[in-house]
Amino acid sequence: MTQITPHLWRHTTYNQYIDLTFNQYLAGVSEPVLIHTGAESDAPSLLKALEGRKVSSIFVSHFESDECGALSTVLSIYPAAKVIAGEVTARQITGFGIKADVTIARDGEVLTLGDLELEMIAYPSEMHLWDGLLAYERKNKIFFSSDLMIRYGHSEEERHKSNWKVEVEAISPIQVADEARRGALKERLLALSVDLVAPGHGPILNV
Ligand SMILES: [Fe+2]
Ligand SMILES: [Fe+2]
């Protein structure tokens, strides 16, 4: 894993056919949270990168293969890890028969996980415009943006300089189709104090 800050590590794979990187993060020191598992095909590389490290919980933004495709495999190595997800995602995990101890997190909830404080932010990300979750780590001002604020291209070790307001304003109707909810999400995000964006795809953004 590549260390990004004293509390954040990143593992990245690259798919040349769609020219997109896939990021998983390990955040926190005392009770580390894995942010996404990647797809099942990424599991060997991710598990190798995690070797010797503790994983207390796994945050799943929404139910899609690149966010949680390797969940069963990762849980087979970390059986005590709790899964943190929104209600819809939790239902999918159960419905697909994945054996996991899922804690349902709700919009606005703040989870204290060791040295981290993860604030949960609902966003319409799922099929049928169901809600997924974004996570904002308050103490280190890191925003885990999942499929928002992403970049195409191969950018494994890169950090980009950007601007929080610009990143929030760039959330498009393709990403969040419902206009009212897109507006509410942007308003909510603009109220956050963010130093670093850790996206699901593309480089880390210093904002
Ligand atoms: Fe996704
Ligand atoms: Fe994604």
Side-chain angles (χ1 to χ4, degrees):
M1 295 210 125
T2 305
Q3 185 157 22
I4 307 293
T5 75
H7 297 86
L8 186 70
W9 292 262
R10 179 171 74 152
H11 173 260
T12 301
T13 55
Y14 175 66
N15 183 326
Q16 60 177 329
Y17 301 105
I18 51 174
D19 192 28
L20 187 64
T21 54
F22 293 83
N23 303 323
Q24 300 88 45
Y25 298 93
L26 192 66
V29 176
S30 57
E31 290 182 35
V33 185
L34 180 67
I35 313 278
H36 297 149
T37 68
E40 180 64 19
S41 54
D42 296 326
S45 168
L46 175 67
L47 289 170
K48 193 168 182 343
L50 287 171
E51 234 167 44
R53 293 172 188 268
K54 183 175 159 190
V55 175
S56 298
S57 51
I58 301 166
F59 173 76
V60 179
S61 164
H62 56 277
F63 195 82
E64 198 174 357
S65 66
D66 61 311
E67 275 78 26
C68 63
L71 188 57
S72 286
T73 303
V74 173
L75 283 171
S76 71
I77 304 299
Y78 295 96
K82 299 215 176 320
V83 176
I84 301 163
E87 197 178 347
V88 174
T89 302
R91 206 183 309 145
Q92 301 301 316
I93 290 170
T94 307
F96 275 87
I98 298 168
K99 301 270 176 290
D101 179 3
V102 185
T103 300
I104 294 175
R106 298 188 192 280
D107 183 39
E109 200 173 325
V110 179
L111 307 174
T112 302
L113 304 164
D115 49 311
L116 302 179
E117 275 182 14
L118 270 194
E119 179 177 337
M120 299 288 115
I121 299 161
Y123 90 120
S125 58
E126 301 268 11
M127 59 193 116
H128 311 303
L129 301 178
W130 285 340
D131 279 346
L133 286 173
L134 302 163
Y136 169 60
E137 205 290 296
R138 291 176 163 188
K139 288 190 177 168
N140 301 284
K141 302 188 174 185
I142 298 169
F143 181 64
F144 294 96
S145 69
S146 189
D147 287 343
L148 302 177
M149 305 174 185
I150 67 174
R151 302 285 195 283
Y152 280 84
H154 192 190
S155 52
E156 195 167 351
E157 299 298 326
E158 286 180 56
R159 269 178 194 245
H160 283 196
K161 179 91 192 92
S162 189
N163 172 284
W164 179 240
K165 195 164 184 287
V166 169
E167 292 297 328
V168 172
E169 293 299 350
I171 297 171
S172 69
I174 288 170
Q175 293 172 301
V176 179
D178 184 296
E179 191 180 347
R181 298 194 69 187
R182 186 171 65 255
L185 175 67
K186 286 184 179 184
E187 201 174 308
R188 174 95 182 274
L189 295 183
L190 284 173
L192 299 177
S193 171
V194 175
D195 285 344
L196 204 75
V197 177
H201 311 274
I204 296 273
L205 305 173
N206 283 96
V207 292

